[in-house]
Amino acid sequence: MEIPPIVLYVLVDFSIYLIVTLSLNIEVGYAGLPQFGRVLAVLTGALVASAIPGRILAAIYGYPYGVEYSSYEYNYKVVDAINRVLESNPALSVGIFILTLIIAMIAGAFIGYLTSRPAIRLKEAYLGITLLAMGETLMLISYYYQPLMGGTTGVLVPDPFRWAGGLRFIVATFTLLTFAILILIFVELLTKSPFGRVLRAMRDSELAIAVYGRDIAKIRTCALMVGASIASLAGALNAFYTGSAIATTYTRVTWTFWPWAFMMLGGTGNNIGVTLGVLVFVIVKTIIVTYRGALAPFVPFDPVWLEYTFVGLAIVLIAIFRPQGILPEKPIFTLPRRKLEEFLGRR
Amino acid sequence: MLPVIAIAKAVSYASSLALMAAGITLIYMCTRTFNFAHATFVTWAFYIVFALVFIAGGNPYMYLPVAFIFVGFLGVLVYLLVIGPLLRRNASPITLMMSTLGVDLVFLSFIQMFADYLTRTYKLYARRIVLETYDFSLLGIPASAVISPIIVVSTIAALHLFLARTKFGTAMRATIENPNLASILGINPNIIYLASWLIGGGLAGLGGALASLSIAGDPTVGNSMVVSMFASSIVGGLYSINGSMLGGLLIGMSEYLGILILSGIVGGWILPYRPVIPLIAMAVTLLVYPKGLAGINWPRLLYRIGVIK
């Protein structure tokens, strides 16, 4: 079976961004927090994937695993040797893959807890700027502090899909897609659960939810931890898929503002809408990327910038003309009276 | 001891930051919008000055008014097309902030296209702008270290005169304090908001044009400075233009000189972490004393520490 590469490209972009945008939707759409630092948690996941699995395997198989692991002189040799081990050992590949994802989710939850400290004190735009600043700080640290992500040269990430041989990209793509679908189901169930209803209630009226005896600080902390842990998973998956990581690719534009644009287009507070929004955006982006070459002779600039114009314009136009997105958030209806009576009668 | 040239550079950088922060504060006070497009406003000022110096010739200082007017006009455009309609729909502060981020992305792409255009049409290397060499020397130090503080002081004076002594300035203060009451008295808040974006954008343009004389620019120079601008504005207290100017000077100086002093103590590896300084200043202000510099009761503080009796 032959799958055109462009379809795989769209599926990968869709899966990664769907996970990130869903995590953003929990925090922004349901909890009403101005999460302008999504890149922080995504980068955490990527850091885990680029610093931990390679070191574990290097330690087991007797390669340098200290500070020198991520230096550009050793890194490509060590990771190449590790990849050859992983190629012949699918069980080890899958094991290290799952272990890294678990560590990434724990690290993400920890980062979420850290961001919740200012989040329970500050409000609205102040909080947004603080979160944005935290993301920038981690980006700087991972760009200049070599032992984490190789600093300015980046690192290679061990490839847990190598055993699939020629089918590597197909296996990796469908693994990502499976994770994205699982996360979608999880987030949908979570937001329909009592916890999800508490989040919405807090978003709509903090006073009311406090009157009903809920601790707002605790709810916010929970929302941020769950969101960050999911986003961190996406970061780790992205690093595993691309096989390398460098801090400069984790900018606030690609990992904070794009997910915001996807979420606003699809419908803030509606997981199915968000899925649709990500799909539409990813397809349009791919079309721009594919056909920008054809446009090049007619314009006096590099058409690569049109992607930014498009995302920016989309954010502005949606904010002005359709703030509720393609699929607006549905109000929660109580059960019809007949059903309620039936239910009470049965008791 | 720090070299004189470093102090001179720090002064001119801090002055330009003060002007940008004043723009952010003015726009926030009037329209409750954290203007992220300030980043590309500043970058546009860099590119306007660069293009004019290389195409029309002359000195960067000649084009300060052009940068002020051009970027002020961009501010007006953003208000008329985006912020105005959103304010009329009672958009939340988060929506307003997000839409300025969208505007920022659009402007960023326009700057990149403009840089490509300059490169292809005029054969200029527009990906890295260095205008420092066009600055002349005054008393042995770069002129921008003398001229920039003068511009900051005269801007403070002009804004003070404008807000305190003119009828329009009084109307502006009234609208900031209570838009509904002001509109009952026949003041059109739309005009006030428009003026705030004109002046705020203009200040960003002026700050950017001055900054082009002290730092090198590229299409993302404003985006790398925007966190410093917000930090200055927040350290200044967000509700006072003079406070934000003071915040800008403080952040700019501590960023530029603080990192030099620190690198002397702990070693050169710390130099790249310079952007962390404004972030820490901002976080400390927000968590410890959110009223900022403008909220401090200065006479009482000076009395307490014994400076005045």
Side-chain angles (χ1 to χ4, degrees), chain B residues 105-295:
Chain B
L105 282 182
V106 174
F107 280 174
L108 180 66
S109 72
F110 287 171
I111 286 169
Q112 301 273 21
M113 292 171 190
F114 185 60
D116 280 352
Y117 172 77
L118 286 179
T119 311
R120 291 190 193 177
T121 314
Y122 295 96
K123 306 281 174 262
L124 298 174
Y125 187 59
R127 296 261 153 218
R128 187 166 176 82
I129 301 177
V130 181
L131 290 173
E132 260 175 75
T133 43
Y134 285 79
D135 200 5
F136 52 92
S137 181
L138 205 71
L139 312 168
I141 55 170
S144 68
V146 180
I147 293 173
S148 303
I150 294 175
I151 290 180
V152 171
V153 171
S154 41
T155 309
I156 292 178
L159 275 177
H160 180 76
L161 282 179
F162 167 68
L163 287 172
R165 295 295 159 87
T166 64
K167 211 162 183 184
F168 193 79
T170 316
M172 196 168 214
R173 282 188 297 143
T175 312
I176 289 170
E177 219 140 274
N178 191 335
N180 292 333
L181 202 56
S183 59
I184 287 172
L185 292 173
I187 298 166
N188 184 352
N190 282 327
I191 306 234
I192 303 289
Y193 296 158
L194 192 70
S196 79
W197 277 83
L198 176 68
I199 301 171
L203 287 175
L206 201 56
L210 283 177
S212 70
L213 290 161
S214 61
I215 57 174
D218 57 53
T220 57
V221 64
N223 295 70
S224 55
M225 281 178 81
V226 74
V227 179
S228 295
M229 298 177 213
F230 276 109
S232 311
S233 182
I234 285 172
V235 167
L238 255 182
Y239 277 99
S240 151
I241 294 174
N242 293 345
S244 67
M245 292 244 186
L246 199 58
L249 291 176
L250 192 72
I251 295 273
M253 294 298 277
S254 56
E255 208 183 306
Y256 219 105
L257 295 182
I259 203 74
L260 279 181
I261 295 169
L262 266 180
S263 73
I265 299 168
V266 299
W269 60 268
I270 200 157
L271 283 172
Y273 295 103
R274 186 178 125 176
V276 178
I277 291 179
L279 299 180
I280 293 173
M282 182 172 82
V284 169
T285 312
L286 279 176
L287 295 174
V288 179
Y289 197 73
K291 283 183 192 166
L293 292 174

Side-chain angles (χ1 to χ4, degrees), chain A residues 4 37 50 79 103 117 125 132 140-141 144 167 187 195 203 207 236 319:
Chain A
S50 52
V79 174
I103 297 174
R117 296 303 93 191
L132 186 130
L140 268 176
I141 292 174
Y144 289 109
L167 293 173
V187 172
F195 177 68
R203 178 196 64 190
L207 187 65

Side-chain angles (χ1 to χ4, degrees), chain A residues 7 158 174 299 315 330:
Chain A
V7 174
F174 282 97
V299 285
I315 292 176
K330 279 185 236 116

Side-chain angles (χ1 to χ4, degrees), chain A residues 99-115:
Chain A
L99 179 71
T100 311
L101 293 185
I102 292 170
I103 297 174
M105 290 189 83
I106 294 169
F110 174 70
I111 284 287
Y113 180 77
L114 284 188
T115 56

